Amino acid sequence: MTVVEARPSPAARRPGRNIVAEIAARRRVDLERELAEPIDLDRAPPARPVVERFAAPGLHLIAEIKRASPSAGRIAGTGEDIVARARAYAAGGAAAISVLCEPHWFGGSVEDLRAVRAAVSIPVLAKEFVVDPRQLEFLRAAGAYLVLLLAVLHRGKGRLGSLVEQARSLGLEPLVEAHDERELGLALDTGARLIGLNNRDLRTLEVDPDRAGRLRELVPDDRLVVAESGVRDADTIARWRAQGFDGALVGEALMRSTDAAGAARSFVTAGRAPADPANTARRPLVKICGITDERGAVAAAAGGADAIGLNVVAGTPRALSLVEAANLARTLRTRTSARVARPLIVAITADATPGELEAIVAAIDPDAVQLSGRESVASVAAVGRPAWKVLHLPADAPIAPADVVLQAGRIVDLGRAYLGAGVERLLLDSAGGVHPGGTGRRAAVALAAAVARELPVILAGGLTPRNVATALREVPAVGVDVASGVELPREPNERPSKDPYRTVLFLKRARAARDDRPNVPFGPTPVHAGLLDADGAGRWGMERDFGGRYVPETLMAALQQLETAYDALRHDPVFWADLRILLERFAGRPTALYRADRLAEAVHAEAARLAASTRREPIVPRLRLYLKREDLAHTGAHKINNAMGQALLTRRLGKSRVIAETGAGQHGVATATACALLELPCVVYMGAEDIERQGPNVLRMRALGAEVRSVTSGTATLKDAVNEAMRDWVTNVETTHYVLGSAMGPHPYPTIVRDLQRRIGDEAAAQLLDIEGRLPDLAIACVGGGSNAIGLLARFIGEPSVRLAVAEAAGDGLATGRHAAAILGGTPGILHGSRSLMLQDRDGQVVEAHSASAGLDYPGIGPQIAALAEAHRIEVAAATDRQAVAAMKTTTRTEGILPALETSHAISALPRILAGVDGLPGGWPAEVLVLLGFSGRGDKDLAALARFDDVEPWASVR
């Protein structure tokens, strides 16, 4: 074994030295001796799959064997058993092992490479300084399956590309490493499938931990990308995965670990694709179309394709005979791994007669039949299997906005007609080619997006591993379909065949396109845009008459800074991945979805009683009631979602102090908790009245290190706490971020809070789809400022089949004027920097809100909720204090769960809506699937319940 030369790391960093050049020069000298013996390539071991490993979902670990380095000096002990360590890496889940072969600076050798290759069954990377083409044969004969090629050493025209081609011809997969844009350009000009981006400059050994991330944006998605250097913990790996890296090469952090397998496992786990319900629900269906041979079919199935298309349209390039198609279908049914769900088999047809369709179904026995021609709506009934219909769009070309609206309208009408006739799925493809079906070109993006906003469509035409992720972010399609984009180069007079590597890479890029991007649409939302998002001025609604930014000039700069910072983060997968991981590990997400059957029976009985007492005779439906258990989140309510997100945002803003307001105390507790975790000083403003009502939460905030400042002005409740917090922000705006607790206030707060809370509904929708196979008929939540309500309902605004409802606090009763029902009892006005519905008198002065629930005791509502109410997209009910307490006691007795008083308003309102007493007119089906946002737990409200001792639960449970 070669002995490491003593090279202290400070010397390696002397100004003016070019370390990589020195190493390369020494290697050229050594090679004359090392390559003197003949090389016997016949002794090279059989190939092991390499790129297929990295094309699988997630980021994969290349674990390195490294005895020393010029930056760190000696790393491994003199007696280090590198074979045992390599086996530990493999046991920990590493996808490949990297072995340093350079002897003088890194203490490596080809003997190390041979020993590791013989000891593990996974691919081995030769981490060598290749300066001579002969080294490639030498390394392959020694057992390498991958080889490192440094772009910095091969800047001559064509040199790097020649080495890549030679390596591939020998069965070596080249990992071409770059450190800057010039080197990356050289790497991308080659045919290398693996591109390494090194945070370390090998000339100076300096590390820029963000360099690889910046360069990643320049690498097209048809390459696999590996990040290198600067890893200290698994969090770095998780961020690299979010940035779109496919692999990470980790050396020193693993070599210094005393538990090599455990350390490797932690990195492997961090690199896995997100598995939470909200992320998995955003992933598209992926269909691999035009399969022509068994190899392509097996590769697509093994890669996890949801559907495979077998083309039986005579005269087209990928046409199969019925016998060939039947044989491929049989292969898919018999050879699909038990670990992977079998893809749907789709028979591709075009303008087939009923007799031809009958023969196709009989021969292939497909799961669905795709109609790719000009089939009429009436012809769908003759298919005999679930039908998929292609809608044809013009190929990508400039289209005037007016023409987009006109053409999209025609296509949407046609699509709805097909869906009404029983078509199961719709596809969008470009038309105009010489064959029936698609053209292999992208459809006009603006037109495709306009159609996809109205209809659930699978996007086809011109898609490749390089562009599919971008396409899925541009067009809210529910799926993608690819044929020519994953094929091998065409051979004359031969049918096209699929490239297994490009196929699995396409699947990976499509599935990951929307991961940790919760604000990217992923399906149709056929409602007015103003109900879904604010415009550039922060205005909501069909008339854009709610929201905005009405604040003193002293706050404008801070709000503009916040808007700019959040715009940069809103679609940043690293930010959302950091937050998701934090909420999973720390806050207990995803929260449970609980079926409350006994409470459902009580709700039904109460609804029947209400219907009878009002002499109504509606059919009160039976119901399956699911509670989205935000009370199980850390701190006992949904508030932790927003507080943790804004605490991370505070760091991104470079602010050093946090302030917040609170009513019920849950937002204050959540903010204090997040600040304690992230080491941020925290001040919470709370009305004196609320401090009296919510004593336990005050104690919790102080225990967490927050300063609780009592507000005695006005009614000493939530409104006044907001006022004081804003005064503090004006005074300390340079150092302080205001963590506003609800989806209200000046732009961009309503958007920020909605985005941070929307995981409630995103999770619940995915959980319901998994359990029930469909979305709810009704989603309902209590509403004060609106964070809980919009967090649950945002997912369903664009789902016409889902009725939405909110429950306001009626206090002593709407007729008394002592309530907090800003929708039912309010008018448009400006409150706390935003135009919305609010309680005010004829002179525009704020009327104080009244509710036993501190969290709902607010005289306004968030602007998006106001816009939804004005458009009649949500139904509005109200519950008095006493009605809410009765529902609270009913829930506790039937389910053993103590709801917050805020949550109890939604429970109380539910039977009133089902009975037709409140809400919009319209009947219900015989059985209703209901989702209720269970926003928090009620232990904080026990003391306040003393004055409601006389209130009984509903009659059915007494």
Side-chain angles (χ1 to χ4, degrees):
M1 191 69 66
T2 305
V3 178
V4 183
E5 295 181 7
R7 294 181 181 272
S9 57
R13 299 174 186 268
R14 284 203 304 267
R17 291 191 68 183
N18 185 329
I19 304 302
V20 70
E22 291 180 26
I23 296 173
R26 182 61 184 268
R27 292 304 289 139
R28 290 187 183 94
V29 173
D30 293 341
L31 290 179
E32 297 308 315
R33 172 180 50 80
E34 293 178 6
L35 300 179
E37 298 295 324
I39 300 171
D40 184 3
L41 281 175
D42 292 336
R43 299 180 61 184
R48 294 173 181 171
V50 174
V51 292
E52 293 80 2
R53 287 175 172 265
F54 293 92
L59 177 151
H60 305 276
L61 175 66
I62 304 175
E64 189 157 85
I65 298 294
K66 178 163 61 175
R67 298 178 182 275
S69 78
S71 61
R74 182 176 293 279
I75 299 171
T78 53
E80 177 76 34
D81 185 342
I82 62 164
V83 167
R85 183 167 286 273
R87 285 176 173 160
Y89 290 162
I97 307 291
S98 168
V99 181
L100 264 298
C101 300
E102 195 282 328
H104 306 291
W105 276 262
F106 294 90
S109 68
V110 173
E111 286 78 14
D112 285 350
L113 175 68
R114 291 191 180 100
V116 170
R117 201 283 308 169
V120 299
S121 60
I122 58 177
V124 178
L125 164 68
K127 190 81 174 290
E128 173 63 292
F129 291 78
V130 174
V131 294
D132 187 310
R134 293 175 297 167
Q135 288 175 274
L136 298 177
E137 292 186 359
F138 183 60
L139 294 169
R140 180 69 185 101
Y145 301 92
L146 301 93
V147 63
L148 179 71
L149 298 177
L150 298 175
V152 68
L153 296 181
H154 305 285
R155 297 194 172 195
K157 185 176 181 180
R159 286 179 55 194
L160 188 59
S162 176
L163 287 172
V164 167
E165 291 177 10
Q166 182 180 346
R168 293 279 297 276
S169 71
L170 294 170
L172 275 172
E173 189 68 40
L175 170 62
V176 180
E177 180 185 299
H179 170 72
D180 56 31
E181 289 189 29
R182 181 183 176 189
E183 293 174 15
L184 180 57
L186 291 171
L188 294 177
D189 284 343
T190 73
R193 298 185 288 185
L194 280 169
I195 302 293
L197 302 179
N198 199 338
N199 283 320
R200 188 184 302 279
D201 185 340
L202 295 181
R203 290 161 294 199
T204 65
L205 303 184
E206 296 297 325
V207 174
D208 174 357
D210 299 321
R211 177 176 291 274
R214 294 193 300 271
L215 291 175
R216 175 63 185 90
E217 298 176 5
L218 305 177
V219 182
D221 272 352
D222 57 358
R223 310 295 182 100
L224 294 165
V225 194
V226 178
E228 306 174 40
S229 298
V231 176
R232 289 292 177 264
D233 52 42
D235 288 344
T236 303
I237 301 296
R239 293 188 185 102
W240 281 349
R241 192 235 18 109
Q243 288 177 309
F245 284 98
D246 304 288
L249 197 156
V250 183
E252 187 176 341
L254 282 172
M255 287 298 297
R256 295 191 185 280
S257 171
T258 56
D259 179 3
R265 191 171 293 111
S266 70
F267 291 134
V268 170
T269 300
R272 288 177 183 155
D276 61 294
N279 264 312
T280 55
R282 282 192 290 271
R283 290 178 186 147
L285 176 147
V286 184
K287 173 169 165 271
I288 308 297
C289 201
I291 296 287
T292 59
D293 55 31
E294 183 175 305
R295 183 177 180 229
V298 172
D306 299 294
I308 285 177
L310 303 178
N311 183 354
V312 291
V313 182
T316 57
R318 301 170 190 84
L320 302 168
S321 69
L322 288 185
V323 171
E324 290 174 315
N327 287 337
L328 285 175
R330 190 177 304 111
T331 296
L332 287 166
R333 292 189 181 99
T334 58
R335 290 190 55 181
T336 301
S337 168
R339 295 176 297 175
V340 180
R342 177 180 71 79
L344 299 173
I345 298 170
V346 183
I348 311 301
T349 70
D351 300 314
T353 66
E356 290 169 335
L357 288 173
E358 185 177 352
I360 290 167
V361 169
I364 303 173
D365 191 21
D367 298 293
V369 173
Q370 179 173 311
L371 309 176
S372 302
R374 299 181 179 179
E375 297 86 356
S376 68
V377 172
S379 69
V380 171
V383 173
R385 287 291 163 95
W388 296 16
K389 180 68 184 86
V390 177
L391 304 175
H392 294 291
L393 304 181
D396 199 4
I399 301 179
D403 291 336
V404 168
V405 174
L406 188 64
Q407 291 187 46
R410 287 199 296 262
I411 295 164
V412 168
D413 288 343
L414 181 61
R416 285 175 177 155
Y418 280 117
L419 291 172
V423 162
E424 183 179 75
R425 292 189 179 275
L426 297 172
L427 294 89
L428 283 184
D429 202 351
S430 56
V434 296
H435 301 292
T439 63
R441 295 167 58 197
R442 289 288 306 276
V445 173
L447 183 57
V451 174
R453 283 192 290 269
E454 300 292 326
L455 296 173
V457 297
I458 297 170
L459 184 65
L463 297 177
T464 67
R466 187 184 188 115
N467 67 18
V468 66
T470 299
L472 281 165
R473 293 171 201 146
E474 293 174 334
V475 178
V478 299
V480 287
D481 181 309
V482 65
S484 60
V486 294
E487 289 176 344
L488 292 164
R490 298 274 185 100
E491 295 292 338
N493 303 316
E494 295 287 337
R495 274 191 307 218
S497 59
K498 297 294 183 276
D499 180 339
Y501 161 68
R502 289 178 62 80
T503 299
V504 294
L505 185 57
F506 182 91
L507 287 158
K508 176 176 187 172
R509 297 295 186 237
R511 291 272 164 67
R514 297 166 180 155
D515 279 357
D516 289 318
R517 297 174 186 265
N519 303 305
V520 173
F522 61 97
T525 50
V527 297
H528 192 284
L531 303 181
L532 297 168
D533 281 301
D535 64 13
R539 296 171 300 195
W540 303 80
M542 298 175 71
E543 302 297 329
R544 298 292 184 179
D545 51 352
F546 293 114
R549 185 183 289 157
Y550 301 88
V551 295
E553 191 64 32
T554 49
L555 281 180
M556 287 300 290
L559 286 167
Q560 288 166 353
Q561 179 199 30
L562 178 60
E563 180 183 10
T564 300
Y566 186 66
D567 282 349
L569 292 180
R570 192 162 187 253
H571 297 300
D572 177 4
V574 175
F575 174 80
W576 293 101
D578 284 348
L579 179 58
R580 172 182 54 79
I581 293 168
L582 202 54
L583 289 172
E584 287 173 355
R585 294 176 183 171
F586 183 73
R589 300 215 72 88
T591 55
L593 188 70
Y594 171 67
R595 180 166 165 169
D597 288 340
R598 292 189 64 209
L599 179 58
E601 291 175 7
V603 167
H604 180 268
E606 182 68 6
R609 184 191 70 78
L610 289 169
S613 69
T614 56
R615 297 184 179 179
R616 296 172 181 265
E617 296 185 1
I619 298 174
V620 177
R622 306 299 302 182
L623 70 151
R624 298 195 303 284
L625 175 60
Y626 285 88
L627 310 178
K628 181 55 175 167
R629 297 287 306 277
E630 294 301 293
D631 60 309
L632 298 179
H634 183 42
T635 72
H638 68 290
K639 294 292 188 180
I640 191 68
N641 305 322
N642 174 54
M644 197 64 72
Q646 289 208 52
L648 287 177
L649 179 57
T650 301
R651 283 185 163 182
R652 292 288 188 105
L653 289 168
K655 301 292 180 73
S656 58
R657 176 176 177 265
V658 160
I659 59 172
E661 88 298 329
T662 195
Q666 290 301 134
H667 174 58
V669 169
T671 305
T673 299
C675 288
L677 180 69
L678 300 179
E679 300 180 289
L680 291 167
C682 177
V683 175
V684 179
Y685 288 90
M686 190 172 190
E689 177 72 15
D690 292 334
I691 288 177
E692 184 70 24
R693 290 189 286 188
Q694 303 293 338
N697 277 342
V698 175
L699 294 175
R700 292 171 72 191
M701 286 184 274
R702 287 173 174 157
L704 288 161
E707 177 188 349
V708 181
R709 293 186 183 176
S710 176
V711 178
T712 57
S713 58
T715 56
T717 55
L718 180 59
K719 171 183 69 70
D720 311 291
V722 174
N723 289 338
E724 289 302 316
M726 284 195 164
R727 290 189 185 101
D728 183 318
W729 196 26
V730 169
T731 305
N732 302 289
V733 69
E734 293 299 320
T735 61
T736 299
H737 175 60
Y738 178 16
V739 178
L740 189 60
S742 200
M744 59 187 192
H747 179 65
Y749 275 111
T751 295
I752 292 174
V753 177
R754 187 276 310 274
D755 289 352
L756 292 170
Q757 292 289 8
R758 71 168 299 141
R759 68 183 61 245
I760 302 170
D762 289 350
E763 285 179 7
Q767 290 166 323
L768 265 182
L769 284 168
D770 184 51
I771 297 168
E772 294 278 351
R774 68 183 184 93
L775 296 176
D777 298 302
L778 172 68
I780 183 171
C782 64
V783 66
S787 65
N788 164 68
I790 202 62
L792 181 77
L793 303 182
R795 168 64 179 83
F796 306 106
I797 294 170
E799 300 284 355
S801 65
V802 182
R803 290 173 65 171
L804 310 180
V806 295
E808 294 194 286
D812 294 338
L814 295 179
T816 69
R818 293 176 54 80
H819 60 78
I823 302 175
L824 293 174
T827 54
I830 295 172
L831 177 64
H832 293 140
S834 174
R835 187 176 189 274
S836 189
L837 295 173
M838 59 176 288
L839 302 179
Q840 58 185 331
D841 61 22
R842 291 181 179 178
D843 297 322
Q845 298 301 306
V846 177
V847 172
E848 303 298 345
H850 294 275
S851 172
S853 166
L856 305 182
D857 195 5
Y858 182 70
I861 199 79
Q864 188 176 9
I865 295 287
L868 292 168
E870 181 186 59
H872 303 294
R873 183 61 187 95
I874 57 172
E875 305 177 36
V876 186
T880 66
D881 292 342
R882 295 179 68 83
Q883 289 169 338
V885 171
M888 184 181 192
K889 292 181 177 180
T890 299
T891 304
T892 304
R893 293 191 186 182
T894 56
E895 297 293 346
I897 305 170
L898 180 64
L901 196 48
E902 293 81 7
T903 309
S904 302
H905 284 73
I907 300 168
S908 175
L910 179 56
R912 300 176 64 81
I913 292 174
L914 295 177
V917 175
D918 286 337
L920 298 175
W924 297 97
E927 187 170 26
V928 178
L929 184 60
V930 177
L931 171 65
L932 187 144
F934 207 89
S935 57
R937 65 180 188 232
D939 47 326
K940 67 182 179 59
D941 296 311
L942 290 176
L945 291 180
R947 67 187 179 98
F948 295 105
D949 242 5
D950 61 319
V951 175
E952 294 287 337
W954 294 338
S956 63
V957 298
R958 290 175 192 164

